[in-house]
Amino acid sequence: MKIYNTLTSKKEEFVPLDSGKVDMYVCGITAYDVCHLGHARSAIVFDVIKRYLRHSGFQVRHTRNITDVDDKIIARAKKEGVSTGEIANRYSEEYYRDMDMLGVSRADIEPKATEHIKEMVDLIKGLVERGYAYDVNGNVYFEVSKFSAYGKLSKRNLDEMMAGARVEVDERKKSPLDFALWKASKEGEPSWKGPWGPGRPGWHIECSAMSMKYLGQGFDIHGGGADLIFPHHENEIAQSEAFTGKPFVKYWVHNGFITVDKEKMSKSLGNFFTIKEILEKYDPEVVRYFLLATHYRSPIEFSDAQLSEAEVSIDRYYSTVLRINDFEEDTALAQGVTEPRAAEEFEKLLASVKDKFKDAMDDDFNTALALGCIFELIREVNKFLDARPSGQKAGELVAKSKEVLTELGSVLNIFNRTPHEWYISLMRVKNVGFTEGDILNEITRRHEARQKKDWAAADAIRKELEGKGIILEDKKEG
RNA sequence: GGCGGCGUACCCAAGUGGCUAAGGGGGAGGUCUGCAAAACCUUUAUUCAGCGGUUCAAAUCCGCUCGCCGCCUCCA
């Protein structure tokens, strides 16, 4: 298995520190507002990475934090006149609702910053003792120049950064590059007791403290969006390695952005679409498919047209499953003899699809290629069924293909519903003004018309349903 | 300004030295069907932004040019 490591800028063979076990830490959200599609991408990407590592036999311990104290949370609380805890709770709940909808599994450990103040204080104390941090009027800063490897993740050196540094408002710092570990609290802000006076932790320190607590002083994978590389992850490395003297993380993994008109979707630009509003128009599986149809490191241009295409693709998948089910229910087909050459070819293909899927995922989690493999199988299943196979052997092969489809889908956590569930959900999303019962009635009426060969009436009903966005597909039995 | 990335068909998107450049969507033609739809078949890139170089061999490596984007401030 190969993973692209931001630290080395190369794809590397994945070898966990402790064979068979993988410890991964992924930066979660700051709970100050609802999540947009960019958050969804990161969550889904690492959800799939976790699922695939497990599928490949690794024992995975997944940690994902929630930042529940921070400038933006404080600002929002002030604006609304409520407590920071209330803001953090509200948006954590929203976050979980969105993630559950999108099929993102919970992490094994989901630590919150406010519940780990002690660990952070201990870490900061250690850094001060070791001479990496200094205290100015109750604020503690990390002195970047003391950590010689600073810049190794984001590939820049101190001189370049000094040259590019923007006007720094905080004059207490020795260098504009130094960053806060502990911030003295102002009036009305949440604060905790610390050796430097009442205050709250800086943003970066929480991930170092919590990852060390739950995963140890060195672990396998640390992930997040590419915008966290600098300064967040760079700072995490500085803090952690200065404290322990050991390598912090073996593989750094970063996902690419969602763009709108080629520009990064972000809060500050205001060009974002929330998960909630997208889910009003599209099934969650469509969103998941859309995000996985591009490699995780490439940018994805947000587009309604692409989401609709994703919907069509998924529909193709479920149509095929429906055909498989129909085949299996048709007991008459159990008789007869399977054409041996077609069966043999199909059997070979089934085995190769599984291998190709594995190769794709082993190559830096290439979900786009992996989905391609699934659709290759879909086409072949349709082809096989088109030949009207019958007999025991054919039955076994069709059952086997369904099994393979289910297995591959489960790794990506898509394609795991029944066609019926898919169509019902589609009706909900499309706001079809019909209930399932209405439709069945119409179908029965049309069926009667067809029996009488009253084509005009039958077509009228079909047309009416089509106007509502429902497409009837006739089968042999009607 | 510094650092990094990207540019593959009508659209989206895999492919990073060598068998026919995946897959999806769309278009065109056909098979099937009461008519449709779906499905299947054929077709839609002798070519990978442009130019030059390395090599027996390049979309893939190197250089330059053009265009787009990201990070350098909070950001998934």
Side-chain angles (χ1 to χ4, degrees):
Chain A
M1 188 184 294
K2 287 203 157 92
I3 298 187
Y4 182 87
N5 189 349
T6 309
L7 190 59
T8 56
S9 309
K10 277 199 286 273
K11 265 187 210 170
E12 293 175 21
E13 189 58 39
F14 179 64
V15 184
L17 295 166
D18 190 358
S19 128
K21 290 184 184 161
V22 180
D23 282 343
M24 65 187 256
Y25 184 97
V26 180
C27 288
I29 54 144
T30 298
Y32 78 102
D33 203 350
V34 292
C35 293
H36 60 66
L37 194 61
H39 300 99
R41 182 176 195 190
S42 186
I44 288 171
V45 161
F46 289 100
D47 183 54
V48 168
I49 288 177
K50 173 173 72 177
R51 284 173 197 270
Y52 186 65
L53 287 169
R54 289 206 172 127
H55 180 79
S56 303
F58 291 105
Q59 195 184 320
V60 181
R61 198 156 52 159
H62 177 208
T63 303
R64 183 177 55 201
N65 70 307
I66 289 186
T67 302
D68 58 354
V69 57
D70 143 284
D71 291 349
K72 277 182 283 197
I73 295 174
I74 293 170
R76 180 128 196 175
K78 211 170 262 173
K79 198 174 131 203
E80 295 189 16
V82 299
S83 71
T84 52
E86 190 175 332
I87 295 292
N89 275 339
R90 183 199 305 162
Y91 292 110
S92 297
E93 276 168 30
E94 291 276 358
Y95 164 74
Y96 281 124
R97 200 168 307 146
D98 288 342
M99 294 305 140
D100 288 350
M101 288 287 287
L102 292 169
V104 174
S105 60
R106 298 291 167 99
D108 304 298
I109 307 159
E110 305 203 334
K112 291 180 179 170
T114 55
E115 289 166 10
H116 298 80
I117 302 292
K118 184 185 177 300
E119 286 83 351
M120 290 188 246
V121 167
D122 288 346
L123 197 54
I124 299 168
K125 255 199 258 180
L127 287 169
V128 173
E129 280 162 19
R130 287 166 177 72
Y132 285 103
Y134 56 94
D135 166 13
V136 185
N137 304 329
N139 294 281
V140 183
Y141 300 100
F142 186 91
E143 190 164 359
V144 165
S145 61
K146 291 277 171 68
F147 185 73
S148 62
Y150 195 76
K152 68 175 172 179
L153 182 69
S154 54
K155 310 289 178 306
R156 39 193 112 194
N157 61 53
L158 288 176
D159 295 339
E160 283 165 12
M161 284 188 272
M162 285 303 284
R166 301 187 187 181
V167 184
E168 181 56 56
V169 288
D170 195 342
E171 287 161 2
R172 295 165 295 197
K173 296 198 283 188
K174 289 187 190 174
S175 156
L177 299 178
D178 293 351
F179 56 90
L181 297 170
W182 186 260
K183 298 179 171 184
S185 291
K186 297 189 196 85
E187 190 58 35
E189 287 182 357
S191 80
W192 288 264
K193 263 193 270 177
W196 317 279
R200 59 192 165 92
W203 176 39
H204 313 295
I205 197 71
E206 69 176 82
C207 291
S208 290
M210 298 191 295
S211 64
M212 268 186 224
K213 175 173 180 181
Y214 295 107
L215 303 176
Q217 296 199 338
F219 55 96
D220 303 297
I221 295 175
H222 192 131
D227 43 7
L228 297 182
I229 295 171
F230 190 90
H232 186 53
H233 289 162
E234 194 71 62
N235 291 353
E236 277 187 51
I237 292 176
Q239 295 159 352
S240 306
E241 298 190 352
F243 182 86
T244 65
K246 296 179 209 163
F248 178 44
V249 168
K250 193 167 181 189
Y251 302 93
W252 285 93
V253 179
H254 294 97
N255 64 275
F257 305 125
I258 307 283
T259 59
V260 176
D261 293 330
K262 301 255 180 174
E263 275 189 325
K264 178 185 166 189
M265 180 183 287
S266 74
K267 272 278 154 59
S268 44
L269 284 170
N271 60 346
F272 58 89
F273 293 83
T274 67
I275 296 171
K276 211 182 216 171
E277 65 188 331
I278 292 170
L279 290 181
E280 278 166 17
K281 288 170 74 185
Y282 297 96
D283 182 273
E285 193 168 357
V286 169
V287 177
R288 208 171 157 99
Y289 179 94
F290 168 70
L291 295 176
L292 293 175
T294 300
H295 185 90
Y296 77 88
R297 283 189 282 117
S298 303
I300 300 180
E301 174 71 13
F302 176 82
S303 113
D304 257 311
Q306 288 303 123
L307 277 161
S308 298
E309 273 186 28
E311 189 177 273
V312 173
S313 295
I314 296 172
D315 202 62
R316 176 169 157 80
Y317 179 92
Y318 283 115
S319 299
T320 304
V321 175
L322 199 62
R323 285 189 78 184
I324 292 175
N325 292 346
D326 288 343
F327 174 85
E328 288 181 330
E329 280 163 22
D330 192 341
T331 47
L333 290 174
Q335 317 304 319
V337 184
T338 311
E339 209 266 293
R341 213 165 56 89
E344 193 191 319
E345 252 175 56
F346 188 64
E347 196 160 20
K348 238 169 44 193
L349 180 111
L350 233 39
S352 86
V353 165
K354 270 183 83 162
D355 288 344
K356 279 165 124 179
F357 181 91
K358 182 181 182 308
D359 288 347
M361 291 300 286
D362 275 345
D363 186 10
D364 196 26
F365 311 107
N366 194 335
T367 53
L369 186 56
L371 283 170
C373 296
I374 292 178
F375 278 96
E376 245 171 275
L377 178 54
I378 286 292
R379 190 183 62 223
E380 293 302 328
V381 169
N382 277 316
K383 199 169 170 176
F384 186 70
L385 291 174
D386 267 7
R388 304 194 174 286
S390 60
Q392 196 193 340
K393 181 74 185 165
E396 282 168 17
L397 286 173
V398 170
K400 175 82 181 155
S401 62
K402 194 172 166 184
E403 210 179 285
V404 172
L405 286 170
T406 304
E407 185 193 332
L408 302 186
S410 76
V411 173
L412 304 176
N413 198 22
I414 52 174
F415 302 145
N416 52 10
R417 292 181 287 178
T418 63
H420 183 251
E421 285 165 336
W422 163 250
Y423 293 122
I424 295 296
S425 167
L426 213 53
M427 275 166 55
R428 178 188 66 78
V429 171
K430 300 267 176 217
N431 269 320
V432 173
F434 270 26
T435 66
E436 206 186 339
D438 291 339
I439 293 171
L440 287 174
N441 277 338
E442 293 297 300
I443 289 173
T444 310
R445 261 181 58 213
R446 177 157 182 273
H447 186 62
E448 283 161 8
R450 289 185 74 211
Q451 293 286 311
K452 287 183 264 170
K453 300 219 187 295
D454 183 355
W455 306 128
D459 287 350
I461 294 168
R462 185 168 60 201
K463 196 126 191 193
E464 188 195 332
L465 285 175
E466 207 179 307
K468 302 268 186 187
I470 296 163
I471 293 164
L472 276 194
E473 294 172 18
D474 293 341
K475 286 186 288 191
K476 277 274 125 5
E477 336 71 70

